[in-house]
Amino acid sequence: MIELNIHLLLNSAAFTRRLDNCYTVDKHQKIKIHVEVSNPDLPIKWLKNGQVIKPSAKYVFENIGLKRILTINKCSLADDAVYSCVVGDDRSETELFVQEPPVTIEKTLEDQQVFVGDKVELEVEVSEEGAQVTWMKDGVELTREEMTKYRFRKDGKKHILIINEATKADTGRYSVETNGGSCEADLVVEDKKLEILQGIADLTVKAAEQAVFKCEVSDEKVTGRWLKNGLEIRPSKRITMSHKGRIHKLVIDDVRPEDEADYTFVPDGYALSLSAKLNFLGNNIMSIFSQEPPKIHLDCSGETPVNTIIVVAGNKLRFDVPITGEPAPTVTWFQENVVRLYYYVYVTQIMAQENY
């Protein structure tokens, strides 16, 4: 009698409400689908692509009155399938479509202004962990084949574009695109400004001594060149150049007359230079003693006043006194003690040169 009642139930109209034709759900979300049966005692089965579904944490079955509910938790692309509710020979079918949710931009890119050689990190944060994003520069996609120039990193919802050493060619507009939005920002790369912490000082050096030119700049990574009268200096046994931290040195051992010149340090990559002069003291001394001291060519050693001139009162008088010297001496005329005067001039000039 019981079997007959079940048979009659199964052959009567099983469903009073069937599944919808299709359902749509976003990835990682849950969905409920349900039917309504004509009798609460009717046994049912849920199927996925024709295979019986067993209840689990993923698939939850519920009976509420005449409702028969299937809940699918944390939907993935694998849950995109045909689902059926079967009562005897009757069934209700539907299709579930699992779609990627739109990935939105939660934290946009920010404009940056950096210097040549700086490390740059462009960062964006999206709504979905592990989402796919596209990086672009000036409208052109940046691919992973350009890994030597760019690095792409993911940290949860964060996506980061890294440029290890920026160049002026990296200046441009960078953008990130997702299936739910986009953002962009400008990157400006400028030549680094160099601050001179200590300039080069002029030097006066004696023969065989050591000359040291030293300067300090604000960036310890800066390299540079040393010039002598505009020509680049090459190191030798006497001439060495060094760079330690922010300090740059040019050392000249055993200074010689030919070392007297203008010396210049030119930092690489900057439109500036530092200059100083090397004065060779030994060369100046030799130059002084090679000069001819002033001399008055009058013979005053004899008893005869050969330098006496007699003239009639009222007539014109002209004195011709030969004087030599290098450089040309300055002459002052007095009425008496002429010889003593020029001897005094000669002595004081030599004394001045020795003091120098």
Side-chain angles (χ1 to χ4, degrees):
M1 184 68 177
I2 295 175
E3 292 180 359
L4 178 60
N5 290 335
I6 294 175
H7 179 75
L8 290 172
L9 289 172
L10 293 175
N11 284 282
S12 63
F15 297 101
T16 58
R17 177 184 173 87
R18 293 178 175 272
L19 296 169
D20 293 344
N21 289 332
C22 66
Y23 295 86
T24 303
V25 65
D26 288 337
K27 185 179 176 182
H28 302 314
Q29 299 302 312
K30 73 177 181 178
I31 188 171
K32 292 176 179 286
I33 61 175
H34 74 277
V35 298
E36 290 184 12
V37 295
S38 57
N39 191 304
D41 296 326
L42 287 175
I44 69 166
K45 290 187 295 184
W46 289 100
L47 287 77
K48 173 185 176 183
N49 289 337
Q51 300 296 317
V52 175
I53 302 173
K54 294 181 179 180
S56 63
K58 176 75 174 180
Y59 302 104
V60 178
F61 301 159
E62 293 178 88
N63 297 335
I64 302 176
L66 298 176
K67 281 187 179 181
R68 300 296 182 262
I69 305 169
L70 169 63
T71 301
I72 306 173
N73 291 310
K74 295 183 180 179
C75 290
S76 67
L77 295 179
D79 295 316
D80 193 296
V82 174
Y83 292 84
S84 306
C85 182
V86 178
V87 178
D89 295 332
D90 198 359
R91 69 173 53 202
S92 176
E93 287 188 345
T94 188
E95 191 169 359
L96 175 63
F97 296 99
V98 180
Q99 61 185 14
E100 294 278 359
V103 178
T104 57
I105 307 288
E106 295 191 343
K107 182 180 177 182
T108 61
L109 296 171
E110 295 182 356
D111 293 339
Q112 292 193 43
Q113 186 172 348
V114 301
F115 293 113
V116 171
D118 286 351
K119 182 179 180 179
V120 179
E121 292 191 2
L122 297 169
E123 182 181 302
V124 66
E125 188 171 334
V126 298
S127 59
E128 186 78 14
E129 232 180 275
Q132 295 298 317
V133 304
T134 301
W135 286 93
M136 305 184 78
K137 177 185 180 241
D138 297 328
V140 179
E141 182 178 353
L142 301 176
T143 64
R144 295 191 177 275
E145 283 69 26
E146 299 173 288
M147 289 294 284
T148 55
K149 180 65 180 177
Y150 305 107
R151 289 196 297 117
F152 304 92
R153 182 161 61 89
K154 292 181 182 180
D155 183 9
K157 296 181 180 180
K158 293 179 181 179
H159 292 255
I160 305 166
L161 170 63
I162 302 171
I163 304 173
N164 284 322
E165 293 186 1
T167 66
K168 296 193 75 172
D170 294 318
T171 295
R173 173 157 290 192
Y174 291 79
S175 60
V176 172
E177 294 185 357
T178 70
N179 64 354
S182 64
C183 64
E184 58 185 20
D186 290 321
L187 173 65
V188 178
V189 184
E190 297 181 338
D191 287 324
K192 188 175 293 186
K193 295 178 181 178
L194 190 66
E195 184 179 352
I196 306 303
L197 303 180
Q198 179 184 337
I200 307 173
D202 291 343
L203 297 177
T204 300
V205 184
K206 295 180 181 179
E209 289 186 344
Q210 184 186 72
V212 180
F213 289 106
K214 182 176 73 171
C215 65
E216 183 178 1
V217 296
S218 57
D219 188 347
E220 63 183 22
K221 295 181 180 179
V222 168
T223 57
R225 297 173 296 133
W226 288 92
L227 309 178
K228 175 184 177 183
N229 290 336
L231 300 177
E232 186 170 353
I233 301 173
R234 301 298 180 188
S236 65
K237 291 182 178 179
R238 288 196 312 116
I239 300 174
T240 57
M241 290 161 281
S242 63
H243 168 206
K244 185 176 181 181
R246 298 192 299 256
I247 305 295
H248 295 261
K249 282 186 181 181
L250 169 66
V251 179
I252 305 173
D253 293 321
D254 188 21
V255 171
R256 302 171 184 176
E258 59 266 29
D259 295 323
E260 184 173 80
D262 291 319
Y263 291 85
T264 304
F265 176 71
V266 182
D268 294 331
Y270 296 91
L272 61 87
S273 61
L274 306 174
S275 295
K277 184 175 181 61
L278 172 61
N279 298 299
F280 182 66
L281 185 59
N283 190 42
N284 291 337
I285 293 173
M286 293 301 295
S287 175
I288 290 172
F289 284 102
S290 66
Q291 296 174 357
E292 181 184 351
K295 183 177 182 182
I296 302 171
H297 296 276
L298 287 177
D299 185 6
C300 300
S301 60
E303 296 181 357
T304 305
V306 295
N307 295 315
T308 300
I309 300 175
I310 300 174
V311 64
V312 177
N315 286 346
K316 180 179 179 180
L317 174 62
R318 174 184 175 126
F319 289 103
D320 288 319
V321 181
I323 299 175
T324 60
E326 182 64 35
T330 300
V331 178
T332 304
W333 288 90
F334 291 87
Q335 285 184 310
E336 60 182 1
N337 295 332
V338 175
V339 173
R340 183 183 298 175
L341 163 70
Y342 284 101
Y343 178 76
Y344 172 76
V345 170
Y346 168 76
V347 171
T348 55
Q349 184 159 345
I350 290 297
M351 290 175 64
Q353 291 167 345
E354 288 177 346
N355 289 336
Y356 176 79

